[in-house]
Amino acid sequence: MNNLWSRFGRVFGIDVALLAVAVVWGASYLVAKDLTLAASVPAVLGWRFLVASLALGALWAWRVRRRPGRAELGTGALLGLTQAAVLFLETYGVAQTRAANAGLIISLTVVFTPLLDSVATRRWLPPGFFVAAVVGVVGVALLVSGDGFRTPNPGDLLMLAAAAVRAFHVTLLGALTRNKPYSSVTVTLIQSVVCAVAGIALDPTGMVAAAFAFGPSGWLGVLFLGLAASVFAFVVQLWAVRRTSASRASLLMGTEPVWAVLAGVLLAGETLGWLGALGAALIVGGCYAGQRIESRFRQAPPAPELGADGGLKRIGTEIHV
């Protein structure tokens, strides 16, 4: 009984941590959008990850103090490049669309990630998953149409690209770190430094101008993005993904668009309209259904293959009859 409660407490703790990441990321779109009104996108990301790198450096010195090996350093740097690509696309996108739109469109990562995994493993998902994916895409079309059908704006398209790149990043994250003796803090610190360097290199003068343009509320936004949406979220995400299934992690973090919509509507006065609200419901529903189908599919054992004589093939040391 004690072991059962201990396991339940561990799983519950991981779930709560991932849900907290979703809440923080959902609110981050509105914060990032406000900051881009005062500074360039590279400057916003440069300051965000400079703050994050300093905090992670202090955490690393306190808890880890182990120099990364070549493989760990290379993994962190590669993940930093893909993470930087995601965040540049996201931040440029949210600057040109509504925070609610941004959070909803990026949720398609939940659909794109299993598709990439299927291509990599050559184990194709059931037809129901693709129906759910189409429902999500239809939802995006309705969402960006507002009160009438129109061409998606550049911000919507950038968020769609960010969802695809984020799916690649999440797939790579699991593939490169699972069952490896890497420190979550170390890998996250390397990612953060890469993102900070990218932002500083792309707009060094903008970094200086932003320091004077932000003001007290702007700096609070930078601290929120750097400490909550970066340090807390990235460390917890990496820690949790290595201790639970990717499907469970994606399902919990897939609640991110709900929090993004709430932040946009309650704090920024954004409105969806009835057509946009229908699109939002289709996106969330399609992503949720797709994730459930994908989860059940991954848990099912693969079907045994037929041999040349029509019988079942030997799999490992077991003979399936």
Side-chain angles (χ1 to χ4, degrees), residues 272-296:
L272 291 176
W274 72 268
L275 205 57
L278 176 60
L282 288 177
I283 292 172
V284 174
C287 288
Y288 180 78
Q291 193 58 53
R292 290 295 299 272
I293 293 168
E294 191 269 349
S295 180
R296 288 196 299 267

Side-chain angles (χ1 to χ4, degrees), residues 1-14 248:
M1 180 63 72
N2 288 337
N3 288 337
L4 180 63
W5 276 109
S6 175
R7 183 176 181 277
F8 172 79
R10 184 171 64 253
V11 172
F12 180 74
I14 293 172
R248 192 177 186 89

Side-chain angles (χ1 to χ4, degrees), residues 4 41 52 63 81 85 98 139 152 187 194 211 242 260 264 268 272 275 277 291:
L4 180 63
V41 169
R63 297 289 295 175
L81 290 173
R98 296 179 299 180
V187 172
V194 170
R242 295 170 71 181
L272 291 176
L275 205 57
Q291 193 58 53

Side-chain angles (χ1 to χ4, degrees), residues 66-90:
R66 178 180 59 81
R67 293 179 61 182
R70 184 177 298 178
E72 190 172 13
L73 187 63
T75 296
L78 179 57
L79 292 173
L81 290 173
T82 56
Q83 183 69 72
V86 172
L87 289 164
F88 271 92
L89 287 168
E90 279 187 7

Side-chain angles (χ1 to χ4, degrees), residues 9-27 110 166 170 173 178 184 228-229 231-259 291:
R10 184 171 64 253
V11 172
F12 180 74
I14 293 172
D15 288 354
V16 169
L18 287 170
L19 194 59
V21 170
V23 173
V24 168
W25 275 348
V110 176
R166 191 199 270 194
V170 172
L173 182 70
R178 190 173 294 114
S184 296
V231 177
F232 168 76
F234 291 164
V235 169
V236 168
Q237 180 193 33
L238 185 54
W239 170 81
V241 164
R242 295 170 71 181
R243 287 164 175 78
T244 189
S245 68
S247 296
R248 192 177 186 89
S250 295
L251 185 61
L252 290 164
M253 289 191 294
T255 62
E256 177 185 336
V258 176
W259 310 112
Q291 193 58 53

Side-chain angles (χ1 to χ4, degrees), residues 132-197:
V134 170
V135 168
V137 173
V138 170
V140 170
L142 293 176
L143 176 71
V144 302
S145 69
D147 293 324
F149 289 100
R150 62 174 175 81
T151 304
N153 66 40
D156 296 328
L157 296 176
L158 285 170
M159 293 308 303
L160 197 58
V165 178
R166 191 199 270 194
F168 175 74
H169 172 74
V170 172
T171 304
L172 198 63
L173 182 70
L176 295 181
T177 64
R178 190 173 294 114
N179 300 323
K180 298 291 178 63
Y182 297 159
S183 161
S184 296
V185 174
T186 301
V187 172
T188 308
L189 172 59
I190 297 168
Q191 287 185 76
S192 183
V193 170
V194 170
C195 291
V197 169

